[in-house]
Amino acid sequence: MAAICIANNKGGVGKTTTAVNLAAGLARLNYRVLVVDVDGQANATYALTGRVHPVPSLYDVLVGDRKLESVIWQTNEENVWLVPGDGRLQNADVELAARPGREWRLAKALHGQNYDYIIIDTPPSLGVLTQNALAASHRVLIPISLTEFSLIGMDKLEATIEDLRDQLDLYDLEIAGVVATFYENTTTANDTWGILEKKYEGRVLETRIPKNLDLEKAHRENESILSFAPTSSGGQAYTQLAREVKRLVPAQPRPYDRRRSQTA
Amino acid sequence: MDAAPVAANDQEREQHRPASLSPETLARTLRAVAAELERDPELARRISGAIAGPEAPPSDTALRQPTSEHGDTGNTDEGDKDDERVATRQKRSTFRPRLITGASPDLGPGIPDPFTLQAKRGEEGLRAALEELRLGTLRAIVREHHLDPEGKLTRQNDAARLRVLILEAVARNHD
Ligand SMILES: Nc1ncnc2c1ncn2[C@@H]1O[C@H](COP(=O)(O)OP(=O)(O)OP(=O)(O)O)[C@@H](O)[C@H]1O
Ligand SMILES: [Mg+2]
């Protein structure tokens, strides 16, 4: 079991697209994958099931007392399961703010789950929900779009991860790497790629996700690119990304266990 | 919560916000709506049509109303119903999160079961439900119920043929 959080506080960089298609890619390598939709936009939920804001959802687990097992769905992708999100999650940051141990609610809920990978899709913010996602993860994968200004604000994400590591004693939370998205052969994209490689030396994944309309179409058809258009440039890239992530973050043959290591 | 990027237009619209909405809520909701409009040109076209239409109120109020539907990023797949929904939203004034279980509220969680749907709603009901489902869900139904053992049809991106396949299988089962 390895839990990977897909995070970037910037919006529209391909977090959800990466979460959904990486999950499908790993599933096609014969892994059992659980996707957790921690975003009130619930885009991953729509992409994997066609449902819009289903209730009950992760919200009832994080804010209410519902058991996680009761909101695990089979998805349109074989070997991919989902804990759906819904619009109420957009209030969860505020609703959880005063709760003790608020950052640990997801990790606690996932305890004992037995999948090979857990992939957590996060909202474009660094609030309590994203903190829950990070606290529940072993690794963070950061999609960065190769478009103009995409690197602005990135320091904040890294600082948040560092702060959380200290605050919550997440000694084993690490950035697995940065994956470039929306690649096209333009000066901007190539320049940004160059800057990215310098800034995140040794941590930029080999796989670049190209800008590819089929990825958007697949989302609208409620399935992964690997079902919709496996041979498209996006399909090939996500197949390659899954192989790379498998090498980088090997699945562990034991159930999920990630708890606060010091005070309970 | 960290300030996420707000589209330039959102800032302009902010001046018109109703007094009852906090700037955060408004920005968040507008972001969700803007993202959905960007994602779905068809929805954008329908909404802009509804705004411009003869029966629609002036555009500044029309654009604001859907944003009071916090948490509803809009189901984009319901054809004409969207127009009706826009009209309904325009009449409502109080803030109330609206949560729906997807295109069809009684699909249940996970992959819909066409045999159960037929039992509950009859053939026409099943047909209508399938009409609202996209390729991914149709393919998943076919896979789950082994309706295309050789996988020929499943590999094609042809939603209409998958619907027929499912309807035929359910009808055979019923006979
Ligand atoms: N490589 C790509 N090529 C073309 N379109 C893409 C690509 N990746 C994502 N998209 C499209 O861009 C939009 C934003 O992508 P996505 O939803 O994955 O971003 P996000 O980071 O999850 O956004 P948010 O921060 O709002 O959650 C979507 O419409 C998606 O279909
Ligand atoms: Mg997203």
Side-chain angles (χ1 to χ4, degrees), chain A residues 48-70:
Chain A
L48 284 167
T49 69
R51 309 297 218 289
V52 183
H53 302 301
V55 176
S57 81
L58 178 68
Y59 173 88
D60 302 282
V61 176
L62 294 183
V63 179
D65 286 322
R66 189 172 261 277
K67 283 248 177 300
L68 186 100
E69 289 77 26
S70 72

Side-chain angles (χ1 to χ4, degrees), chain B residues 79-172:
Chain B
D80 295 336
K81 282 187 206 154
D82 269 322
D83 294 330
E84 286 165 34
R85 196 174 294 159
V86 167
T88 322
R89 280 177 189 153
Q90 285 161 359
K91 280 180 223 134
R92 279 193 218 133
S93 58
T94 48
F95 169 86
R96 182 159 61 93
R98 192 165 58 100
L99 299 161
I100 48 175
T101 320
S104 305
D106 58 346
L107 286 182
I111 301 168
D113 179 351
F115 298 94
T116 310
L117 279 173
Q118 154 105 1
K120 273 203 242 166
R121 302 187 185 181
E123 198 201 318
E124 275 317 301
L126 171 63
R127 194 182 293 274
L130 293 179
E131 215 44 61
E132 294 189 349
L133 301 177
R134 298 284 193 140
L135 256 180
T137 310
L138 296 168
R139 245 197 278 266
I141 292 174
V142 169
R143 185 186 72 231
E144 272 305 294
H145 295 279
H146 312 285
L147 305 182
D148 182 26
E150 285 173 25
K152 274 193 204 142
L153 199 52
T154 316
R155 275 191 295 275
Q156 297 170 17
N157 287 349
D158 188 341
R161 290 184 66 186
L162 289 173
R163 287 190 189 101
V164 171
L165 184 73
I166 297 167
L167 282 167
E168 282 173 0
V170 175
R172 263 200 312 278

Side-chain angles (χ1 to χ4, degrees), chain A:
Chain A
M1 162 69 71
I4 305 173
C5 173
I6 316 291
N8 188 334
N9 46 315
K10 280 202 172 253
V13 296
K15 290 182 289 295
T16 301
T17 305
T18 296
V20 165
N21 293 300
L22 172 61
L26 290 168
R28 275 159 205 250
L29 296 172
N30 283 326
Y31 291 114
R32 290 160 47 93
V33 186
L34 178 68
V35 174
V36 183
D37 192 348
V38 180
D39 185 0
Q41 298 177 86
N43 288 332
T45 297
Y46 182 68
L48 284 167
T49 69
R51 309 297 218 289
V52 183
H53 302 301
V55 176
S57 81
L58 178 68
Y59 173 88
D60 302 282
V61 176
L62 294 183
V63 179
D65 286 322
R66 189 172 261 277
K67 283 248 177 300
L68 186 100
E69 289 77 26
S70 72
V71 290
I72 296 181
W73 287 29
Q74 199 180 2
T75 71
N76 291 350
E77 296 295 319
E78 213 167 355
N79 277 334
V80 178
W81 285 263
L82 169 77
V83 178
D86 78 74
R88 293 171 302 162
L89 283 169
Q90 301 199 14
N91 301 328
D93 274 354
V94 176
E95 285 166 326
L96 290 174
R99 304 246 188 122
R102 59 178 184 265
E103 300 93 347
W104 286 98
R105 295 189 65 86
L106 180 59
K108 265 172 104 174
L110 285 168
H111 186 74
Q113 288 301 321
N114 209 350
Y115 292 82
D116 296 308
Y117 286 97
I118 296 182
I119 307 286
I120 308 178
D121 187 26
T122 61
S125 70
L126 297 171
V128 180
L129 283 179
T130 301
Q131 290 172 13
N132 263 276
L134 289 168
S137 300
H138 305 103
R139 295 288 181 272
V140 190
L141 183 62
I142 306 177
I144 296 186
S145 70
L146 295 178
T147 49
E148 217 152 359
F149 311 125
S150 60
L151 293 172
I152 298 172
M154 285 308 302
D155 296 337
K156 205 160 178 182
L157 175 61
E158 282 186 282
T160 301
I161 295 172
E162 285 306 311
D163 287 354
L164 262 189
R165 277 170 65 109
D166 293 347
Q167 260 175 46
L168 303 181
D169 202 17
L170 302 169
Y171 56 92
D172 58 346
L173 173 67
E174 279 172 28
I175 296 181
V178 164
V179 57
T181 57
F182 289 90
Y183 175 73
E184 44 185 351
N185 194 8
T186 61
T187 315
T188 304
N190 286 318
D191 286 355
T192 312
W193 171 254
I195 300 169
L196 206 64
E197 286 215 296
K198 262 200 214 112
K199 187 171 158 73
Y200 295 96
E201 203 191 334
R203 289 190 298 170
V204 181
L205 272 66
E206 274 171 35
T207 310
R208 274 188 296 206
I209 308 298
K211 188 169 177 180
N212 176 210
L213 201 62
D214 285 322
L215 288 165
E216 199 160 334
K217 287 188 194 154
H219 178 102
R220 288 170 54 89
E221 293 297 344
N222 311 143
E223 61 185 356
S224 79
I225 190 71
L226 302 181
S227 294
F228 181 71
T231 57
S232 63
S233 62
Q236 291 179 33
Y238 276 108
T239 300
Q240 190 189 330
L241 182 70
R243 288 201 203 105
E244 197 175 355
V245 167
K246 171 191 162 172
R247 274 202 315 275
L248 219 57
V249 189
Q252 303 290 335
R254 51 174 179 266
Y256 182 89
D257 183 5
R258 190 175 175 82
R259 276 175 289 186
R260 197 164 201 160
S261 41
Q262 288 186 325
T263 48

